[in-house]
Amino acid sequence: MTLSPTSTAQEIIDRLRLLGSEENIAGMARFGIATEAALGLSNVELGRMSRQVKTDHARALELWRSGIREARILAAFTADPKALTLNEARRWAGDCNSWEVVDTLADLLVGARHDRALVPEFAADEREFVRRLAFAMIATAAVHLKTEPHSTFLAWLPLIEAHAADDRNFVKKAVNWALRQIGKRNAACHAPALALAEKLAASADRAARWTGRDAVRELSGSKVLWRLGLAV
């Protein structure tokens, strides 16, 4: 079966099932990926498949509704950012049960520029993967939104500080990721991000302290300082 832009959601799912690998599923589990609904295809394979089937928003909605890990990642790859509504984004966020689906979805939501509305909303949500999505969006935006003013990212630093004490693994790592990516964005963002990292590193809270120390280590490193023109 050769996939094409006219392939239906069911044809794509049938292809996913055909290519599935039990061995790969076992490997995914070792990386903390939820495998209950996984077929065992890598994101590289799914990226290749997304280029074959192209963008189709209606079909992406069908793929997501299947609940299959690979179909959901393909849905995020092939949904139309211009067509994705806020309510669709909220529903997809609420369905997430694995960090790598969250991080793939973050790319789509930033492309749709839903980060502006959903970052604070999702950060306030107590669900682990919804909150992770807020900070994954910040990290993704810091890398990919090249023309966005640095004030956008500095305005998110208080949100990072507010949730740095969330010790749930997938939230903690995303908060840390967001802080590091803001600090590495440019020289204007570096100093405020590093200052927050140093503040968190001195915190009495273990999760906040871990986030701060890890961020300080990277943001103070010669590689980052050289790239930003801050090395002495």
Side-chain angles (χ1 to χ4, degrees):
M1 181 197 309
T2 301
L3 296 178
S4 73
T6 61
S7 295
T8 66
Q10 189 57 56
E11 287 170 341
I12 292 171
I13 290 170
D14 289 343
R15 181 65 172 169
L16 293 172
R17 293 190 187 280
L18 182 66
L19 297 175
S21 165
E22 290 294 330
E23 183 179 353
N24 287 349
I25 291 173
M28 290 173 180
R30 290 194 290 272
F31 287 94
I33 294 171
T35 58
E36 295 85 350
L39 299 176
L41 279 76
S42 72
N43 282 15
V44 172
E45 292 174 290
L46 295 173
R48 188 180 305 119
M49 196 175 293
S50 73
R51 291 189 289 275
Q52 293 174 337
V53 301
K54 308 297 184 183
T55 298
D56 185 320
H57 195 70
R59 186 185 60 203
L61 295 175
E62 287 187 66
L63 289 171
W64 187 274
R65 284 195 293 268
S66 73
I68 299 167
R69 168 199 173 265
E70 286 77 5
R72 284 186 165 174
I73 290 175
L74 264 181
F77 283 160
T78 61
D80 183 353
K82 295 178 181 177
L84 186 75
T85 68
L86 279 170
N87 283 335
E88 286 168 350
R90 291 181 178 109
R91 284 196 296 273
W92 285 20
D95 288 338
C96 287
N97 67 341
S98 188
W99 65 266
E100 40 108 40
V101 177
V102 166
D103 295 357
T104 305
L105 182 56
D107 284 333
L108 173 64
L109 299 191
V110 169
R113 290 315 317 266
H114 289 334
D115 53 292
R116 291 171 287 199
L118 295 181
V119 162
E121 179 181 325
F122 286 173
D125 196 301
E126 290 295 333
R127 290 172 291 179
E128 182 174 10
F129 291 108
V130 177
R131 182 169 289 172
R132 179 185 174 90
L133 182 51
F135 295 98
M137 280 192 281
I138 292 174
T140 299
V143 172
H144 294 297
L145 299 183
K146 303 295 187 184
T147 61
E148 188 74 12
H150 65 260
S151 58
T152 296
F153 302 97
L154 298 183
W156 280 333
L157 290 177
L159 204 59
I160 290 172
E161 182 175 4
H163 294 286
D166 190 326
D167 64 355
R168 291 175 294 181
N169 186 50
F170 295 117
V171 175
K172 178 176 71 173
K173 288 184 175 181
V175 170
N176 170 268
W177 180 25
L179 178 56
R180 289 185 292 108
Q181 293 305 124
I182 290 175
K184 292 188 294 182
R185 179 176 169 82
N186 54 38
C189 290
H190 180 268
L194 180 58
L196 175 56
E198 290 171 340
K199 180 179 179 180
L200 295 177
S203 172
D205 181 86
R206 187 168 68 173
R209 192 164 60 248
W210 175 85
T211 289
R213 287 177 176 174
D214 186 73
V216 167
R217 182 164 49 249
E218 182 166 8
L219 297 179
S220 300
S222 58
K223 183 178 180 180
V224 170
L225 295 176
W226 180 85
R227 185 174 64 79
L228 298 179
L230 299 173
V232 294

